[in-house]
Amino acid sequence: MKEKKLNIFISPLDWGLGHITRTIPVVQMLKDRGHHVILGGGRNASNIYKSEFPDIEFEPLPSSAIHYPERGSLIWALIRQMPRFFATIRKEKRKIAKIIRKHQIDVVISDNRYGLYSRDVYSIFITHQLMLKLPSAVKMLERWVYKRHQRMIMKFDACWVPDYARPPYLSGDLSHLYTPSSHVVYIGPLSRFSMGFCEDASAGKIYEVIAILSGPEPSRTRLESNILEQMEKTGKKCLLVRGLPSDTGDLKTPSNIESVNHLPACTLREKILQSKYIIARAGYSTIMDLVAMGRTAILIPTPGQTEQEYLAQYYNQRKLFLCISEKDLNLHEALNQITLYQWNLNMRSCQSLATEVERIEKLLGSK
């Protein structure tokens, strides 16, 4: 019996770049298996996907347009914007219904977009946060928030968690504090650098430091200014990847610093290999990329973003990454300290994603 090729719609959340970039290996695997993939999302998703998969059709989706505070807790800022968040979910539900009819979709894969599901198709939710870390002032509400978060995720047929089911865990409490429901599947880490579609690149060191920025404004710009100033003082060749895939303007930099707005996955991997030291935000997708390459780094959590602050503490305690707050960043001291850190976990290969895709192929192929 000939296998059914599925029409699969994939769309990530557009808060930062990590949700977008970690779907790249999922898209690549589904393409390699002969399925018809349609992509969706906001402006940044459109630009990143077009650079990686120029022939795949793209559907624009509503943006939640969350505004981040210049200071203070991100969680409190998000709470104030909950009405807008739920309005976006309602828009997503209307949009996905149209997309399903237009493309005869069989499977919807949503990375943290809570409105992208339908009873008419197999719906998958991707997240590394089964539980949400709250600020210390309201930490007693974490269990209550967890239960309500699970109700939202249970509307999907499956929840894919990009982490290992057994130690060593990459996400710590975020995916493993509570016993998961039966529809949770740990598919292993997702990295754009781990699927083998990048050609081997020269590993000769060209740059002293590569800084890979991402995340919300205004904290991205604030960190960029700080790093540029400190990179200039090194007097050595450095590379700044600004994390602006939708920006076409050039940034004026000191003579020892190269600057690019964005790099495709394979080019970025090559630049990382050519760099002696790495600076990045403490986002989970960034951590998965670094783990895939077996590289340590200087990680700077986005202020007020409790998930990143937790991950920074989690890895700093294990001496796997050097984690420094934005206000305490001293590049000269950090480069001296990072020599004491190394990625020393033997990360095993994981076929859980392929196994899960095969299960869905059999399930839907039998209908």
Side-chain angles (χ1 to χ4, degrees):
M1 180 178 173
K2 186 177 180 181
E3 289 186 5
K4 177 184 177 182
K5 299 305 178 185
L6 303 173
N7 295 325
I8 303 175
F9 180 73
I10 301 176
S11 179
L13 185 69
D14 51 357
W15 299 3
L17 305 182
H19 295 285
I20 304 168
T21 59
R22 72 184 184 189
T23 62
I24 290 173
V26 178
V27 176
Q28 188 66 47
M29 174 178 285
L30 294 171
K31 283 179 77 269
D32 291 344
R33 297 178 75 90
H35 299 298
H36 179 220
V37 178
I38 301 99
L39 299 171
R43 185 182 176 195
N44 283 337
S46 175
N47 286 314
I48 290 174
Y49 283 145
K50 284 178 181 177
S51 70
E52 305 290 345
F53 308 106
D55 298 327
I56 293 184
E57 188 172 355
F58 185 87
E59 289 278 357
L61 284 177
S63 170
S64 51
I66 292 293
H67 297 287
Y68 293 81
E70 289 197 37
R71 58 182 62 88
S73 172
L74 174 60
I75 292 292
W76 287 119
L78 295 181
I79 289 173
R80 290 193 294 270
Q81 297 174 77
M82 281 295 102
R84 184 182 301 163
F85 172 74
F86 285 108
T88 299
I89 291 177
R90 292 191 291 271
K91 291 178 184 178
E92 289 174 347
K93 289 179 180 178
R94 292 192 292 269
K95 183 69 174 181
I96 195 60
K98 295 177 182 178
I99 291 172
I100 289 170
R101 290 193 298 269
K102 177 180 177 181
H103 296 284
Q104 298 183 315
I105 297 297
D106 301 297
V107 179
V108 171
I109 300 177
S110 164
D111 189 320
N112 276 266
R113 280 185 175 266
Y114 292 89
L116 292 189
Y117 66 90
S118 170
R119 295 178 180 177
D120 298 326
V121 302
Y122 196 85
S123 303
I124 300 166
F125 189 77
I126 298 178
T127 186
H128 64 277
Q129 293 189 81
L130 295 178
M131 67 90 66
L132 304 175
K133 286 289 184 181
L134 299 183
S136 56
V138 290
K139 196 168 183 64
M140 75 290 293
L141 297 177
E142 280 186 349
R143 180 81 183 186
W144 182 84
V145 171
Y146 167 77
K147 291 179 178 179
R148 275 132 192 88
H149 188 221
Q150 293 312 295
R151 289 180 188 174
M152 298 177 72
I153 297 176
M154 287 297 293
K155 295 177 181 179
F156 293 77
D157 295 291
C159 176
W160 287 358
V161 177
D163 197 359
Y164 297 111
R166 295 180 289 106
Y169 303 136
L170 298 188
S171 59
D173 287 354
L174 301 179
S175 299
H176 299 280
L177 181 62
Y178 301 115
T179 302
S181 63
S182 59
H183 83 319
V184 169
V185 181
Y186 292 94
I187 59 171
L190 292 176
S191 171
R192 51 188 158 169
F193 303 144
S194 64
M195 296 299 288
F197 56 84
C198 292
E199 296 180 1
D200 289 338
S202 170
K205 296 296 184 279
I206 297 175
Y207 304 101
E208 181 76 2
V209 179
I210 180 172
I212 306 168
L213 304 186
S214 61
E217 297 291 1
S219 61
R220 191 213 64 83
T221 296
R222 185 173 59 241
L223 179 60
E224 178 180 84
S225 299
N226 188 358
I227 286 178
L228 278 173
E229 182 180 343
Q230 298 198 42
M231 277 181 164
E232 182 179 17
K233 292 178 182 177
T234 68
K236 296 182 179 180
K237 190 171 184 180
C238 300
L239 175 62
L240 174 69
V241 183
R242 303 181 68 202
L244 298 174
S246 301
D247 199 323
T248 57
D250 294 327
L251 178 70
K252 186 176 181 180
T253 61
S255 59
N256 66 313
I257 302 173
E258 291 181 20
S259 170
V260 293
N261 291 327
H262 176 72
L263 291 173
C266 293
T267 306
L268 178 59
R269 177 179 177 272
E270 180 179 12
K271 296 299 184 183
I272 291 173
L273 288 172
Q274 293 172 348
S275 300
K276 190 174 179 181
Y277 302 112
I278 305 164
I279 301 175
R281 285 294 194 191
Y284 187 65
S285 297
T286 297
I287 288 170
M288 289 192 292
D289 284 344
L290 292 168
V291 169
M293 299 186 70
R295 294 291 300 272
T296 189
I298 300 164
L299 297 184
I300 305 168
T302 301
Q305 195 160 326
T306 50
E307 170 219 353
Q308 289 196 16
E309 291 170 345
Y310 165 75
L311 288 171
Q313 182 184 39
Y314 179 78
Y315 281 101
N316 205 49
Q317 289 174 345
R318 288 158 177 78
K319 298 294 183 182
L320 297 173
F321 297 114
L322 173 60
C323 299
I324 304 173
S325 68
E326 189 174 304
K327 64 182 178 60
D328 294 330
L329 176 63
N330 181 307
L331 184 56
H332 176 74
E333 292 182 3
L335 294 181
N336 288 331
Q337 293 180 51
I338 194 64
T339 57
L340 303 176
Y341 288 69
Q342 60 180 341
W343 185 258
N344 56 13
L345 289 182
N346 183 20
M347 305 308 295
R348 60 190 180 276
S349 61
C350 184
Q351 299 299 317
S352 299
L353 174 60
T355 302
E356 177 66 1
V357 170
E358 289 172 4
R359 184 190 68 79
I360 293 170
E361 289 171 342
K362 292 177 181 178
L363 174 68
L364 299 183
S366 64
K367 290 185 178 181

